[in-house]
Amino acid sequence: MSKSSEKILEVAEGLFNEYGFTAVGVDLIRDKSGSSKTTMYTHFKSKQSLITEVLRTRDNRFRTSLREYVDRGDQSINGKITSLFQWHFNWFKSKDYHGCMFVKIAVDMPQDNPQALSVAMQHKLWLEHFITKLLLGTKESRFLSDIIFNILEGLISRFVVFGYDESIAQNALYSVLKVHDFINS
């Protein structure tokens, strides 16, 4: 990937993340990235293809970051659950947190960009699978996986609307750990 296409992707991701997919036009991305229209359309044939590539790039970075974070933590089941939640809490507290881009694409333009919607669906399916794999060997791993996934998705929305709240975050983690301990006792 060329430096100019990387710059376009970086700028587009930041703008889409903050303002959404429909509110951001190609001209703004071009201007903010310092690219010409010709350069933009050489690398990305349309706004739809740019959006799809932004989501693919973000998905790859998300997967790598989450896996590495969990792998560095305590490898007990409770440790893995805690790491999973802590990674999300760090994201929720970051200055770049504006909700989930994979949810935004489903809300902003689901019919306009089926490829991007497919990337979003694959991202969410991967996360569900990742959580299930973390819990392998525990009783009711699928049940607990569903609870964790749904709580994390709920926190994503809650913290966009109300802002991050440490006590809410910690209560969510505490609840999941208690359910896990109860199921496996």
Side-chain angles (χ1 to χ4, degrees):
M1 187 173 290
S2 71
K3 292 264 188 215
S4 58
S5 62
E6 287 177 6
K7 180 68 174 172
I8 292 166
L9 280 173
E10 177 186 323
V11 168
E13 181 179 348
L15 291 169
F16 292 145
N17 181 42
E18 189 166 356
Y19 302 108
F21 295 100
T22 54
V24 174
V26 175
D27 291 341
L28 179 61
I29 296 167
R30 181 200 64 217
D31 293 347
K32 294 279 188 184
S33 67
S35 300
S36 68
K37 218 173 210 173
T38 304
T39 300
M40 283 227 17
Y41 286 111
T42 297
H43 295 294
F44 308 99
K45 303 300 179 208
S46 65
K47 180 180 176 183
Q48 304 307 333
S49 66
L50 175 59
I51 289 170
T52 301
E53 193 55 37
V54 163
L55 290 174
R56 282 187 184 123
T57 301
R58 190 170 180 102
D59 177 51
N60 288 333
R61 194 172 53 252
F62 178 100
R63 291 179 189 209
T64 300
S65 178
L66 182 57
R67 266 194 299 256
E68 288 175 356
Y69 192 90
V70 171
D71 287 347
R72 282 193 308 267
D74 175 357
Q75 292 304 296
S76 69
I77 296 298
N78 281 355
K80 290 177 184 180
I81 293 169
T82 300
S83 292
L84 173 71
F85 273 80
Q86 191 57 57
W87 184 93
H88 280 84
F89 298 163
N90 291 341
W91 174 42
F92 300 151
K93 291 186 280 189
S94 74
K95 67 179 176 58
D96 296 326
Y97 180 69
H98 302 284
C100 178
M101 289 179 67
F102 303 100
V103 171
K104 281 182 190 178
I105 193 65
V107 171
D108 279 3
M109 50 179 43
Q111 288 80 27
D112 298 340
N113 196 335
Q115 295 86 3
L117 185 58
S118 177
V119 172
M121 290 169 55
Q122 291 303 312
H123 171 80
K124 295 299 183 179
L125 289 170
W126 176 86
L127 183 57
E128 278 186 307
H129 181 71
F130 179 77
I131 295 167
T132 301
K133 279 178 52 178
L134 288 180
L135 302 172
L136 286 179
T138 63
K139 294 179 187 172
E140 301 292 336
S141 61
R142 183 61 198 177
F143 171 74
L144 186 57
S145 173
D146 286 345
I147 290 172
I148 291 171
F149 179 79
N150 289 324
I151 287 174
L152 288 173
E153 289 297 313
L155 291 175
I156 287 169
S157 297
R158 180 183 185 114
F159 293 149
V160 166
V161 174
F162 297 108
Y164 183 77
D165 183 316
E166 186 68 30
S167 65
I168 297 292
Q170 291 304 317
N171 285 339
L173 174 57
Y174 177 79
S175 298
V176 167
L177 293 174
K178 285 299 176 191
V179 169
H180 169 259
D181 290 345
F182 175 77
I183 290 171
N184 287 282
S185 61

